[in-house]
Amino acid sequence: MHFHHHGYVSEDPRIHAAAGSGIDRPTELPETMDVLIVGTGPAGMITAAQLAQFPDVTTRIVERRGGRLELGQADGIQARSVETFQAFGFAERIIQEAYRITETSFWRPDPDNSSHIVRTARTPDDPHGISEFPHLIVNQARVLDYFAESMALAPTRMAPDYGWEFVALEETGQGEYPVQVTLRRTVGEDAGSERVVKTKYVVGSDGARSQVRQAIGCKLTGDKANHAWGVMDVLAETDFPDIRMKCAIQSGSGGSILLIPREGGHLFRMYVDLGVVPEDDNGAVRQTTIDQIIAKANDIIAPYSLDVKEVAWHSVYEVGHRLTERFDDVVESERGQRTPRVFITGDACHTHSAKAGQGMNVSMQDGFNLAWKLGHVISGRANPQLLDTYSQERQVIAQNLIDFDKQWSTLMAKKPEEFESPSELEDFYVRTAEFPAGFMTEYPESLIIGGTDHQDLATGFPVGKRFKSSPAVRVCDANPLELGHLAEADGKWRIYVFADEQEAAANSATRRFADWLTTAPQSPLAATPAGASDDAFVDVKVIYQQPYDSIDLNDVPEAFRPKVGRYRLTFLQKVFGTGMDTDIFAARGISRSGAVVVVRPDQYVAQVLPLDATDQLGEFFAPLLTH
Amino acid sequence: MHFHHHGYVSEDPRIHAAAGSGIDRPTELPETMDVLIVGTGPAGMITAAQLAQFPDVTTRIVERRGGRLELGQADGIQARSVETFQAFGFAERIIQEAYRITETSFWRPDPDNSSHIVRTARTPDDPHGISEFPHLIVNQARVLDYFAESMALAPTRMAPDYGWEFVALEETGQGEYPVQVTLRRTVGEDAGSERVVKTKYVVGSDGARSQVRQAIGCKLTGDKANHAWGVMDVLAETDFPDIRMKCAIQSGSGGSILLIPREGGHLFRMYVDLGVVPEDDNGAVRQTTIDQIIAKANDIIAPYSLDVKEVAWHSVYEVGHRLTERFDDVVESERGQRTPRVFITGDACHTHSAKAGQGMNVSMQDGFNLAWKLGHVISGRANPQLLDTYSQERQVIAQNLIDFDKQWSTLMAKKPEEFESPSELEDFYVRTAEFPAGFMTEYPESLIIGGTDHQDLATGFPVGKRFKSSPAVRVCDANPLELGHLAEADGKWRIYVFADEQEAAANSATRRFADWLTTAPQSPLAATPAGASDDAFVDVKVIYQQPYDSIDLNDVPEAFRPKVGRYRLTFLQKVFGTGMDTDIFAARGISRSGAVVVVRPDQYVAQVLPLDATDQLGEFFAPLLTH
Ligand SMILES: Cc1cc2nc3c(=O)[nH]c(=O)nc-3n(C[C@H](O)[C@H](O)[C@H](O)COP(=O)(O)OP(=O)(O)OC[C@H]3O[C@@H](n4cnc5c(N)ncnc54)[C@H](O)[C@@H]3O)c2cc1C
Ligand SMILES: Cc1cc2nc3c(=O)[nH]c(=O)nc-3n(C[C@H](O)[C@H](O)[C@H](O)COP(=O)(O)OP(=O)(O)OC[C@H]3O[C@@H](n4cnc5c(N)ncnc54)[C@H](O)[C@@H]3O)c2cc1C
């Protein structure tokens, strides 16, 4: 954590000093704002938490409900989401309270007695060690709480505006705030009354039945029919020995359960498969009672049984694989003519079966992708065309996800006798583990993703994939640290300069690159506003090949020792070396002739370049950090 | 974390349901209480935070200051203290914001130019890997904040009563509340007014000038003269390359500095040695100005220099090695006749040089030692004679500490030419690392520490030392966990049952021990109140030698599957196995014939016994868990 640079702070350093729109932020919804987010689900809350880091931007997030979510909905947290939480400052705490999945058990009908189930396999959850972060299960409500805390501590002191429902929007195209939104009060004395507010941008994070989606003329297409599950979060006594393990259970009768142990040591969730919902169902499946769900569960797990003591939450969750063709308000014919003003994220643009536990995770990545772009454009750092990349990047990801999810759901629904091999299910699960963990996303070349011409300089940092952390030793204090974990969700671009073989003092390619950074008008650093910390927009770190304790900080170029804060103090924590059993060059396949790795604010690798590719770097940043 | 067992909780599971004295806890200081703690330093706050876990006990903690500590005082946090914070639930968070010491640099006069200093050595801070916890530096104020948070979340909803000064006490020996304490208001309209409250026990954690100490007729004896340091917490620009490393610096002129980098990336503390204070000093040393301290620091670090931008805190810290002969109100002649009513902890009973960074740490261990004993006696679990063990155990520790500290300070004060070998200082530092890390405490045999007859059954858990954690795999959810980190500061005794070689289902020595636990009238579990969770007083865990995935939970004796909470749900998280690269039997030298390791609520190993030593165990617990 970086603090005290503006002077000593005595209280919790997680509380940022209020700044910009956070100074005297009105508790009441104002007349105008830069961004209006609709819905406080995971998609909306991460967007708000990220925008909360931009003091120049006024963001409000409205929610139909009168207060925080209390129960139910999603609970699966992929490693990629935990990695994201780390950037928002709450990974450790949520890990502490969550259930951690390390293995999945598979239960099938006993070949000798098909009315009984037996355990047929246990597979590791992350067999390839994909991430240093765990796979967690914790209620969606807690995830939202942590984002709420994160935005409250941010310079803008954000908090959701509960009790406001989105009704309609109109793009007037006029003035500074060209989108007009009608909201309806849902609680309190004035419930039912309407208000019109004006905003620069709208983000529709209003879930599967999104009104914002409708307002911009997008349609979910895909499955005709829904699949239904009886879902219950319960406290129960049982003799089923794997009750604290994630289990895929199939009974001889063809019934199936996905069992998800939950936080706290007792609670668990069961998804009892209710099958495909006929088109003429007319909501009949939704009449399934909790008693029926429990009875069905007891049937499936025989010879074991459940004695339910408390039902914390239950629901009949009906969903199909569906997707909109675009995630913003720019129709195909207008693309390139104007930049978007309205976006949709999360379940508003894609829905998928609960089985792969994707919903909350992919929705958060939508928001993480979008929010920094809005922050950069609104605060004037970047050209508005940056906003086109949101729909461009995320729509494909959603399509891929649905394809994967369909395969998975089909497999899960297969009857035992239909399997090609007895281990087909486990095999698929193990083979595709990177997908459900959230790390298969690989953005193609675009305004913000470079080519792969120099990928060989850093084979462990594939362009377009998220920057996979690796440890290095910080020179100033001899601390071995995960480099990636130092990247907070602060909206900054990051440049990791992997030095060539020469020492810090030498007149090396590294030094020439550093000098370009500090002096060239094309350097991204040149966009930093006068008076701001040198690292306000771009966080530059250098990693030398030498052992950390052989590097003299006084030899290190100034680009790697930025001046920060009120006193313009030299910040020494940007310089790294090898040692203490770490060598990031070996671990991540970095060329011994050095490399420049550029990472986006949402942690995706944007560029891998040689140390002398300054022209290319300058051009890349020209529309992204304008000055 | 264990929660939901009384029903689903939607909010932060760290917030315990209010219970006992926490229900409608008066904000105003009441007339009577069970424990009155004086002083909100580290010693007082840990005592309060621990007692806050006992709903049956009414505790108040008064502080002369009008509010929280904001600046200055101690900042060194030993690994043992971080281990303690872990039990109070805030280790991860304090680690996140603290500075972490991994190495110490030694700077001496340049042999070629004695007016310049040069680095002569770098030594690792924990060369022997003593602890899995780091050595931290963070302001005392933040430590106190975290304890305040911990007590606020506890069932008793505790908060300090600021603005009350202890004036005097009288032991009336009468009634339920035999100690009468006079307090004076220090803030607000009624400042200066006095109030008398009655209490069962008083804990004087009121620092080096303790009034409580005086009230019970204890005297600090030891050094005649104080040693003085000019201490400053500053933000500065400097070319001294090790400014973010802990450094012991000696200049050619004989001046010396202890440099302690601090949290946040910029702040650091310097202790500039001002030497022994002459007896006729009359406070002259305290006149040393901050400008003089800075000038002296600049002299010492030549050829480098400091340009101080902000002084967050500075002080002339004068202290000598001093100790009282007892830590409670029972004089030698009365010992055994009556049990104590008044205790002193922390600086109130021992003071020592700042150099070894001990003050805050040893003071917290005093409080951790005392608090559970008070909790157990007041709530009726244990005989009052338990309270005698506090002074008995801690006075010796303080004496040892002072002996160590004297050696260290003498060494640090030596002129370069006086050293026997060039590396004398570093050698001493490395050799004695377990001491400053806080792990040398080894309580002798007593009411609460057994003999070492069976130490060979568990050589890695020395009786009288703190239980050194090691990982094991939890059977129910295949989670590899540090066993010791599951021990919260909840006031419970812990029994770790290391099983013999037989399987869980067998009629083994382990099963016989388990059956004794659940059924014998002499079993410590028999003290558990009717209706409470089976593990309310004693947390029993079993560790099998078999791989975790070969153990069927339905085979495990009931003693290891307690019923808990409102619904008496079976709690499965007490059963462990080997595997996933862990074998605690090998790591901690546990006999393959099994062992019972009993651990105190303050984490010290109380007993190592064979599985059949049930009589001995019953006798041990007879005065400690009465029923
Ligand atoms: C009832 C329910 C049960 C679910 N159960 C499961 C499950 O069992 N397993 C699983 O994996 N996933 C489940 N999901 C899906 C999962 O919660 C989503 O995939 C995930 O939360 C997506 O996040 P999101 O932010 O896009 O949408 P959501 O979390 O749905 O958030 C949308 C938010 O917008 C608000 N909103 C909607 N319309 C308006 C409006 N007009 N004006 C203002 N606010 C509005 C909603 O109140 C809500 O808070 C469930 C979702 C719902 C709604
Ligand atoms: C001014 C100062 C500077 C220090 N500087 C350093 C340093 O630089 N380095 C270092 O290692 N250690 C330093 N220490 C010592 C270190 O803070 C202590 O060793 C450590 O805090 C011991 O904890 P404690 O709880 O026993 O006492 P303290 O932290 O001293 O706490 C005692 C508390 O009791 C309160 N109190 C005192 N008398 C009364 C009364 N009559 N009624 C009510 N409340 C009362 C005090 O206000 C204080 O909050 C310093 C201590 C002080 C007081």
Side-chain angles (χ1 to χ4, degrees):
Chain A
M1 253 186 255
H2 184 204
F3 51 97
H4 287 336
H5 49 305
H6 298 289
Y8 188 82
V9 287
S10 164
E11 303 205 346
D12 191 339
R14 290 165 188 85
I15 308 170
H16 291 259
S21 62
I23 298 170
D24 301 326
R25 178 182 186 276
T27 29
E28 285 297 301
L29 205 58
E31 292 300 299
T32 60
M33 60 213 70
D34 296 323
V35 184
L36 178 70
I37 303 166
V38 182
T40 60
M45 288 298 268
I46 192 174
T47 311
Q50 175 67 93
L51 279 165
Q53 299 295 335
F54 290 83
D56 304 354
V57 180
T58 306
T59 310
R60 304 297 295 212
I61 175 168
V62 292
E63 165 61 49
R64 181 163 54 188
R65 258 195 333 267
R68 70 184 271 279
L69 179 71
E70 291 188 356
L71 281 171
Q73 304 201 196
D75 58 9
I77 316 273
Q78 306 169 337
R80 169 61 189 154
S81 294
V82 184
E83 186 173 65
T84 303
F85 298 163
Q86 201 273 327
F88 282 90
F90 61 82
E92 285 91 345
R93 291 172 73 205
I94 207 163
I95 289 171
Q96 220 177 27
E97 74 183 81
Y99 173 88
R100 179 176 171 201
I101 302 181
T102 61
E103 295 183 356
T104 301
S105 283
F106 294 84
W107 289 74
R108 295 272 178 64
D110 185 341
D112 301 330
N113 173 2
S114 71
S115 70
H116 282 185
I117 54 168
V118 288
R119 193 198 291 116
T120 55
R122 283 175 84 133
T123 59
D125 188 68
D126 179 3
H128 312 301
I130 286 168
S131 174
E132 71 278 14
F133 290 102
H135 182 181
L136 304 179
I137 301 290
V138 70
N139 189 249
Q140 179 169 333
R142 293 295 297 145
V143 175
L144 303 181
D145 287 346
Y146 280 111
F147 278 120
E149 184 187 72
S150 165
M151 65 181 88
L153 301 176
T156 53
R157 295 283 184 277
M158 272 193 55
D161 294 294
Y162 291 112
W164 286 106
E165 181 175 33
F166 170 93
V167 178
L169 67 77
E170 191 192 339
E171 300 198 41
T172 67
Q174 268 151 32
E176 205 184 340
Y177 302 97
V179 192
Q180 209 165 281
V181 179
T182 308
L183 299 172
R184 187 184 296 130
R185 197 86 183 108
T186 61
V187 293
E189 288 185 7
D190 52 348
S193 66
E194 293 194 351
R195 255 194 78 182
V196 176
V197 297
K198 291 177 171 184
T199 178
K200 292 180 182 162
Y201 297 96
V202 172
V203 181
S205 310
D206 48 345
R209 292 173 190 188
S210 171
Q211 298 291 113
V212 178
R213 180 182 68 224
Q214 251 182 287
I216 59 169
C218 287
K219 274 205 194 72
L220 285 181
T221 55
D223 291 353
K224 290 226 171 55
N226 278 332
H227 198 110
W229 289 271
V231 198
M232 57 180 180
D233 290 344
V234 297
L235 297 168
E237 276 291 279
T238 179
D239 53 355
F240 180 63
D242 277 1
I243 197 69
R244 303 290 314 148
M245 301 287 293
K246 180 179 168 191
C247 293
I249 307 171
Q250 293 195 314
S251 74
S253 63
S256 83
I257 287 176
L258 182 68
L259 165 62
I260 309 282
R262 287 277 298 275
E263 61 275 16
H266 298 285
L267 193 76
F268 58 87
R269 170 172 291 191
M270 278 185 170
Y271 286 96
V272 180
D273 199 329
L274 302 179
V276 173
V277 186
E279 284 194 66
D280 58 354
D281 180 65
N282 286 325
V285 72
R286 261 171 274 153
Q287 307 305 316
T288 315
T289 65
I290 177 68
D291 290 337
Q292 289 170 316
I293 297 171
I294 294 171
K296 193 147 186 182
N298 265 310
D299 266 5
I300 294 171
I301 66 167
Y304 306 105
S305 68
L306 285 182
D307 176 11
V308 173
K309 303 289 187 180
E310 179 176 310
V311 179
W313 178 75
H314 76 107
S315 171
V316 175
Y317 184 47
E318 267 187 279
V319 73
H321 300 95
R322 296 195 187 87
L323 178 65
T324 62
E325 69 286 10
R326 55 186 160 85
F327 287 11
D328 63 28
D329 61 333
V330 180
V331 295
E332 201 48 44
S333 59
E334 285 182 323
R335 190 71 66 191
Q337 318 273 299
R338 70 175 189 94
T339 51
R341 288 286 173 179
V342 183
F343 306 85
I344 48 177
T345 65
D347 275 14
C349 22
H350 44 71
T351 60
H352 18 78
S353 117
K355 288 263 158 119
Q358 289 288 342
M360 169 154 60
N361 299 283
V362 69
S363 300
M364 289 192 284
Q365 293 305 317
D366 285 348
F368 201 20
N369 182 295
L370 173 61
W372 69 270
K373 297 173 181 175
L374 279 169
H376 283 212
V377 169
I378 295 167
S379 64
R381 288 187 213 180
N383 284 345
Q385 67 187 118
L386 174 58
L387 298 175
D388 280 328
T389 64
Y390 165 68
S391 183
Q392 224 175 70
E393 292 190 330
R394 296 302 300 175
Q395 206 269 353
V396 184
I397 298 300
Q399 183 61 59
N400 295 347
L401 177 65
I402 285 176
D403 294 345
F404 166 78
D405 197 10
K406 278 197 167 174
Q407 273 186 284
W408 177 237
S409 304
T410 315
L411 263 183
M412 288 283 291
K414 267 193 185 176
K415 293 219 168 55
E417 59 274 21
E418 295 166 5
F419 279 105
E420 281 163 31
S421 82
S423 63
E424 189 182 345
L425 197 61
E426 296 93 276
D427 291 349
F428 178 83
Y429 190 82
V430 169
R431 196 171 63 243
T432 58
E434 202 182 347
F435 213 131
F439 297 115
M440 284 287 271
T441 298
E442 187 164 359
Y443 296 128
E445 196 168 341
S446 72
L447 179 72
I448 45 174
I449 292 289
T452 52
D453 295 358
H454 302 289
Q455 187 66 72
D456 57 314
L457 295 178
T459 54
F461 294 122
V463 174
K465 294 192 89 170
R466 77 92 177 63
F467 182 84
K468 181 166 167 50
S469 184
S470 190
V473 185
R474 195 156 64 189
V475 170
C476 71
D477 56 8
N479 266 237
L481 298 165
E482 282 282 351
L483 207 53
H485 301 195
L486 301 172
E488 291 172 25
D490 53 12
K492 294 182 190 181
W493 283 94
R494 300 186 198 276
I495 300 180
Y496 297 93
V497 182
F498 292 92
D500 58 322
E501 269 162 323
Q502 293 196 262
E503 304 218 317
N507 182 8
S508 60
T510 306
R511 180 170 294 273
R512 286 189 294 278
F513 181 77
D515 291 347
W516 177 83
L517 274 179
T518 9
T519 60
Q522 300 80 10
S523 160
L525 291 187
T528 313
S533 292
D534 291 350
D535 66 350
F537 283 9
V538 188
D539 168 21
V540 183
K541 293 193 168 80
V542 66
I543 305 95
Y544 288 101
Q545 297 182 31
Q546 285 74 20
Y548 71 96
D549 54 0
S550 71
I551 298 163
D552 188 329
L553 285 168
N554 289 326
D555 292 338
V556 172
E558 291 198 357
F560 310 134
R561 291 186 289 160
K563 303 280 184 203
V564 300
R566 176 147 64 103
Y567 301 114
R568 297 199 64 71
L569 296 170
T570 304
F571 192 40
L572 296 174
Q573 301 191 348
K574 310 267 189 177
V575 186
F576 294 79
T578 55
M580 292 187 175
D581 297 329
T582 77
D583 179 357
I584 195 170
F585 288 81
R588 288 289 171 271
I590 315 282
S591 160
R592 295 287 161 185
S593 59
V596 175
V597 177
V598 178
V599 179
R600 301 171 11 168
D602 58 358
Q603 307 182 323
Y604 285 83
V605 177
Q607 291 279 3
V608 171
L609 294 171
L611 286 167
D612 61 2
T614 49
D615 287 352
Q616 208 173 327
L617 200 64
E619 275 162 39
F620 174 74
F621 274 114
L624 301 176
L625 288 172
T626 59
H627 44 100
Chain B
M1 252 186 256
H2 184 206
F3 51 97
H4 287 335
H5 48 307
H6 298 289
Y8 188 81
V9 288
S10 166
E11 302 206 345
D12 191 340
R14 290 165 188 85
I15 307 171
H16 291 257
S21 62
I23 298 170
D24 301 324
R25 177 182 185 275
T27 30
E28 286 296 301
L29 205 57
E31 293 298 299
T32 58
M33 60 211 71
D34 296 323
V35 185
L36 178 70
I37 303 168
V38 182
T40 61
M45 289 297 268
I46 193 174
T47 310
Q50 176 66 92
L51 279 166
Q53 299 295 335
F54 290 82
D56 304 353
V57 179
T58 306
T59 310
R60 304 297 295 210
I61 174 167
V62 292
E63 165 60 51
R64 179 161 56 187
R65 259 194 333 270
R68 70 184 271 278
L69 180 70
E70 292 189 354
L71 282 170
Q73 305 201 196
D75 59 9
I77 315 273
Q78 306 169 340
R80 169 61 189 154
S81 294
V82 184
E83 185 173 67
T84 304
F85 297 163
Q86 201 272 330
F88 281 90
F90 61 83
E92 284 91 345
R93 292 173 74 204
I94 207 163
I95 289 170
Q96 221 177 25
E97 73 182 85
Y99 173 89
R100 180 178 170 200
I101 302 181
T102 61
E103 295 184 356
T104 302
S105 283
F106 293 84
W107 289 74
R108 294 272 177 64
D110 184 343
D112 301 331
N113 173 359
S114 72
S115 70
H116 283 183
I117 55 168
V118 288
R119 192 198 293 115
T120 55
R122 281 174 86 132
T123 59
D125 189 68
D126 179 3
H128 312 301
I130 287 170
S131 176
E132 72 277 14
F133 290 102
H135 182 180
L136 303 179
I137 302 290
V138 71
N139 189 248
Q140 179 170 333
R142 293 295 297 144
V143 175
L144 304 181
D145 287 347
Y146 280 110
F147 277 120
E149 185 187 70
S150 164
M151 67 182 85
L153 302 177
T156 53
R157 296 283 185 274
M158 271 194 56
D161 294 293
Y162 290 112
W164 287 105
E165 179 175 37
F166 169 93
V167 179
L169 68 76
E170 192 193 339
E171 299 198 42
T172 66
Q174 269 151 29
E176 205 185 342
Y177 301 98
V179 192
Q180 206 165 284
V181 178
T182 308
L183 299 172
R184 187 184 297 130
R185 197 82 183 112
T186 61
V187 293
E189 288 185 7
D190 51 349
S193 67
E194 293 193 349
R195 255 193 78 183
V196 176
V197 297
K198 289 178 173 184
T199 179
K200 291 180 182 162
Y201 297 95
V202 172
V203 181
S205 310
D206 50 344
R209 293 177 190 184
S210 170
Q211 298 291 112
V212 178
R213 180 181 68 225
Q214 252 183 287
I216 58 169
C218 288
K219 273 205 194 71
L220 285 181
T221 54
D223 291 353
K224 290 228 169 53
N226 277 333
H227 197 109
W229 288 272
V231 198
M232 56 180 180
D233 289 345
V234 297
L235 297 168
E237 276 293 278
T238 179
D239 54 354
F240 180 64
D242 277 1
I243 198 68
R244 303 289 314 147
M245 301 285 294
K246 180 178 169 192
C247 293
I249 307 170
Q250 292 195 315
S251 75
S253 63
S256 82
I257 287 176
L258 182 68
L259 165 63
I260 309 283
R262 287 277 297 273
E263 61 275 16
H266 298 285
L267 193 75
F268 58 87
R269 169 170 290 190
M270 278 184 169
Y271 286 96
V272 180
D273 199 327
L274 302 177
V276 173
V277 186
E279 282 194 67
D280 59 353
D281 180 64
N282 284 325
V285 71
R286 261 171 274 153
Q287 307 304 314
T288 314
T289 66
I290 178 68
D291 291 337
Q292 288 171 316
I293 297 171
I294 295 172
K296 192 144 188 185
N298 265 308
D299 266 6
I300 294 171
I301 66 166
Y304 306 104
S305 68
L306 285 183
D307 176 12
V308 173
K309 303 287 186 182
E310 180 176 310
V311 179
W313 179 74
H314 75 107
S315 171
V316 174
Y317 185 48
E318 270 187 275
V319 72
H321 300 96
R322 296 196 187 86
L323 178 65
T324 62
E325 69 286 12
R326 55 186 160 85
F327 286 11
D328 64 28
D329 61 333
V330 179
V331 296
E332 201 48 46
S333 58
E334 284 181 324
R335 191 70 67 189
Q337 319 274 297
R338 70 176 189 94
T339 52
R341 287 285 173 180
V342 184
F343 306 85
I344 49 177
T345 66
D347 275 14
C349 22
H350 44 72
T351 63
H352 19 77
S353 119
K355 289 264 157 119
Q358 291 286 344
M360 171 153 58
N361 299 284
V362 68
S363 300
M364 288 191 286
Q365 293 305 318
D366 285 349
F368 201 19
N369 182 294
L370 173 61
W372 68 271
K373 296 173 181 174
L374 279 169
H376 283 211
V377 169
I378 295 166
S379 64
R381 289 187 213 179
N383 284 344
Q385 68 188 117
L386 174 59
L387 297 175
D388 279 328
T389 63
Y390 165 67
S391 181
Q392 221 176 70
E393 292 191 329
R394 297 303 298 173
Q395 206 270 356
V396 184
I397 298 300
Q399 183 61 59
N400 295 347
L401 176 66
I402 285 176
D403 295 345
F404 166 77
D405 196 11
K406 278 197 166 172
Q407 271 184 285
W408 177 238
S409 304
T410 314
L411 263 183
M412 288 284 291
K414 264 194 188 176
K415 294 219 168 53
E417 58 273 21
E418 296 167 4
F419 279 106
E420 281 164 32
S421 85
S423 63
E424 188 181 346
L425 198 60
E426 296 91 277
D427 291 350
F428 178 83
Y429 190 81
V430 170
R431 197 171 61 242
T432 58
E434 203 183 349
F435 213 129
F439 298 114
M440 284 287 271
T441 297
E442 187 165 358
Y443 296 128
E445 195 168 342
S446 73
L447 179 72
I448 45 174
I449 292 290
T452 52
D453 294 358
H454 302 288
Q455 187 66 70
D456 56 313
L457 295 178
T459 54
F461 293 123
V463 175
K465 294 191 88 169
R466 78 89 179 66
F467 182 83
K468 181 165 167 49
S469 184
S470 192
V473 184
R474 196 156 62 189
V475 170
C476 70
D477 55 8
N479 266 238
L481 297 165
E482 282 282 352
L483 208 53
H485 300 196
L486 301 173
E488 291 173 24
D490 53 12
K492 294 182 190 180
W493 283 94
R494 298 186 200 278
I495 300 181
Y496 297 93
V497 181
F498 291 93
D500 58 322
E501 270 163 320
Q502 292 196 262
E503 305 218 318
N507 183 7
S508 60
T510 306
R511 180 170 294 273
R512 285 188 295 276
F513 181 76
D515 292 345
W516 177 83
L517 274 179
T518 10
T519 59
Q522 300 79 11
S523 160
L525 291 187
T528 313
S533 292
D534 290 350
D535 65 350
F537 283 8
V538 188
D539 168 22
V540 183
K541 293 194 168 79
V542 66
I543 305 97
Y544 288 102
Q545 298 182 32
Q546 285 76 18
Y548 71 96
D549 54 1
S550 72
I551 298 163
D552 187 330
L553 284 168
N554 288 326
D555 292 338
V556 172
E558 291 199 358
F560 311 134
R561 292 187 289 160
K563 303 279 183 205
V564 301
R566 176 146 64 101
Y567 301 113
R568 297 201 63 72
L569 296 170
T570 303
F571 192 39
L572 295 175
Q573 301 192 348
K574 311 267 188 177
V575 185
F576 294 79
T578 55
M580 292 187 175
D581 297 328
T582 76
D583 179 356
I584 196 169
F585 288 81
R588 289 290 172 270
I590 315 283
S591 160
R592 295 288 161 183
S593 59
V596 175
V597 177
V598 178
V599 178
R600 300 170 14 168
D602 58 359
Q603 306 182 323
Y604 285 83
V605 177
Q607 292 279 2
V608 170
L609 293 172
L611 286 166
D612 61 4
T614 48
D615 287 352
Q616 208 172 328
L617 200 64
E619 275 163 39
F620 174 73
F621 274 114
L624 301 176
L625 287 173
T626 58
H627 44 99

